[in-house]
Amino acid sequence: MVDFGKISNEVYTLAAQSDPLSHLVKEALAVIDDALNVFGPDHVSLSFNGGKDCTVLLHLLAASLGRRGSLASRPIPAVYIPVPSPFPQLEVFNLETAKQYNLDLFHCPVDEPELPVETVAGPATPGPAATNGVIAGAGTTLKAKGGEGMKRALEVYKEQFPHIDAILIGTRRSDPHGATLTFRNTTDPGWPAFERVNPIINWSYGAVWDYLRRFNVPYCDLYDEGYTSLGSTYNTFRNPALLIQPACGTCSVHSVYSSETSKDGDPQNACYHNAGTDFSHSTITSTVINGRGNGHADSLPDAGRLEVVNGVPDMHCLADDDICRCRYRPAYELVDGTLERAGRGGGAAA
C-alpha cells in the first residue's frame, strides 16, 4: 500500500508554496477537507474509473486522509461505473490501484443490452490502428453509452450504500457539462440524491499532468501510447495531435529511414513507426519527417526486423504483421489542452 502520511507531507508542502500548481492543490485540498468535515468520512465516496483526473483526485484524497490519523488505515469508499467494452489495460490499472490505496471499490453492475446506446461519429483523423488494433476510418459510426447508464448505476449504488451522501468526482470545467459546475452540486431532479463534489473543477489539462509527474503518481499506461481521454473502446482513439509519423509504405506515407548517417553528420531520410515497439537500432542519431529533422535522437529497431525498401539496403521500413503503425507521443506532451478530446468520438471523458 502507498504511504498516506508521506503523500500528505509532500502534497501539503506543495500547497504552501506559491507557484500556479500550488494554488490549485491548496484549493482542491480545501474542498476535500470541507466535504469530509461536513458529511463525515464514512459518508463520502470517490468516483474512480482509472482516468487521469480521478487518479489525481485519489492522490489528493490520500493526502487529506493522511492528516486524519486512523482514517488513513481504513478502506476508502469508492464506486466504479464501467463503460461498455472498457480497455483491458484500464481494468488492470483499476484493480492494482484499488489494492494500493485500500479502496473499497464497488463495481456497479451494468446490463448493457437493456441500456440505451447513442451513436456517435468517429474522429476525423484517427490513426490506422485506432482502438485496440482495430482499424477505424473517418466518419465510422461507433457506439457509446448514453447518460441513462450513469443514472442506473448510481441508483444501484444508492440502494447498496444508502449512507453515502457525497461523491468526489474528477470533473474539470473543460469537460462536457462541466462549464457551469461549482465545487459542490446536488444531482439533478430524478437522479439518486448525492452531493457531487468537484475538487479539481478549476484545473487545466496541463495542471493534471504537472501534478501526476511532479509526484510520480502511477497512471494507466494507455496515456503513454497517445491516448489523452479514455472512454469505451467504441469511441476512444489515440489523439491525432500526438501523432509522430503517419503510417508508411502502402498505408499512406512513403517516408523511410536510413541505417546510416552522412559523413557530415546530417541524418538521411529517416522516420520510425509502430507504437509500442522497443526500438534499439543504435546507428541512427536523429530522425527526419518529410525531409526535416525533429530534433530528437530516437533509437530505432534491431536491423534484423527491418524490411528493405525498394531494394536499397540502407533504406528500411519497420513492419508488424504487414501493418505499418503510427507512433504517438505520450499524453503529457500535448501542449494545447483544448485538443484533449481530439481522440474521442463522443461520450464521457476520463
Side-chain angles (χ1 to χ4, degrees):
M1 287 182 56
V2 298
D3 186 339
F4 281 41
K6 181 175 182 292
I7 291 175
S8 182
N9 289 335
E10 294 175 345
V11 173
Y12 277 91
T13 296
L14 174 63
Q17 298 174 6
S18 58
D19 65 53
L21 182 61
S22 300
H23 169 73
L24 292 172
V25 169
K26 182 178 180 180
E27 180 182 78
L29 289 172
V31 175
I32 294 172
D33 289 336
D34 182 65
L36 294 175
N37 291 334
V38 171
F39 298 100
D42 293 334
H43 301 276
V44 177
S45 181
L46 168 73
S47 176
F48 186 79
N49 63 5
K52 61 187 181 301
D53 301 324
C54 60
T55 300
V56 165
L57 184 55
L58 173 58
H59 195 265
L60 289 166
L61 176 59
S64 177
L65 293 175
R67 281 198 159 190
R68 295 171 179 260
S70 61
L71 288 179
S73 62
R74 296 167 56 180
I76 300 174
V79 56
Y80 169 46
I81 302 175
V83 297
S85 186
F87 283 87
Q89 300 95 318
L90 195 61
E91 296 284 275
V92 171
F93 175 76
N94 289 345
L95 291 174
E96 293 175 347
T97 303
K99 293 179 181 178
Q100 293 169 352
Y101 284 85
N102 196 22
L103 296 183
D104 183 11
L105 187 61
F106 178 74
H107 288 64
C108 281
V110 176
D111 191 2
E112 288 188 38
E114 295 184 2
L115 294 177
V117 177
E118 63 180 353
T119 57
V120 294
T125 55
T131 66
N132 289 346
V134 178
I135 296 176
T140 302
T141 297
L142 304 170
K143 295 192 300 182
K145 187 193 304 181
E148 184 65 23
M150 177 73 72
K151 180 180 178 182
R152 181 83 60 86
L154 290 177
E155 288 173 348
V156 172
Y157 190 56
K158 192 66 173 179
E159 291 172 359
Q160 295 288 327
F161 302 90
H163 63 284
I164 295 296
D165 297 318
I167 301 179
L168 299 173
I169 302 173
T171 299
R172 291 183 288 115
R173 204 166 298 286
S174 59
D175 292 333
H177 313 296
T180 61
L181 295 179
T182 61
F183 291 128
R184 282 175 35 190
N185 302 92
T186 57
T187 49
D188 297 335
W191 282 61
F194 290 107
E195 187 85 0
R196 295 173 295 170
V197 183
N198 309 298
I200 63 171
I201 189 68
N202 291 325
W203 288 42
S204 66
Y205 177 87
V208 167
W209 282 110
D210 187 5
Y211 184 95
L212 290 173
R213 288 167 57 77
R214 188 175 300 202
F215 291 107
N216 197 28
V217 181
Y219 54 82
C220 180
D221 57 12
L222 286 170
Y223 290 115
D224 286 334
E225 299 174 10
Y227 295 93
T228 54
S229 175
L230 301 180
S232 166
T233 60
Y234 294 140
N235 69 347
T236 303
F237 302 83
R238 290 180 175 89
N239 195 321
L242 292 173
L243 179 65
I244 295 176
Q245 172 63 45
C248 62
T250 58
C251 296
S252 65
V253 177
H254 303 291
S255 296
V256 291
Y257 62 74
S258 170
S259 62
E260 296 182 356
T261 55
S262 61
K263 293 181 181 180
D264 60 4
D266 291 333
Q268 298 180 24
N269 293 332
C271 73
Y272 44 89
H273 315 278
N274 191 17
T277 300
D278 181 16
F279 295 153
S280 58
H281 197 287
S282 59
T283 60
I284 297 297
T285 59
S286 182
T287 63
V288 173
I289 297 176
N290 296 329
R292 294 180 296 175
N294 67 357
H296 294 277
D298 297 273
S299 56
L300 296 171
D302 181 79
R305 299 185 59 196
L306 304 179
E307 291 182 358
V308 173
V309 177
N310 297 329
V312 182
D314 286 339
M315 307 298 281
H316 305 93
C317 168
L318 175 65
D320 180 9
D321 297 330
D322 298 323
I323 298 178
C324 295
R325 298 185 178 182
C326 302
R327 283 194 66 196
Y328 291 80
R329 299 191 184 281
Y332 56 80
E333 291 191 12
L334 182 66
V335 176
D336 186 354
T338 65
L339 298 177
E340 175 183 358
R341 293 178 58 85
R344 293 297 299 278

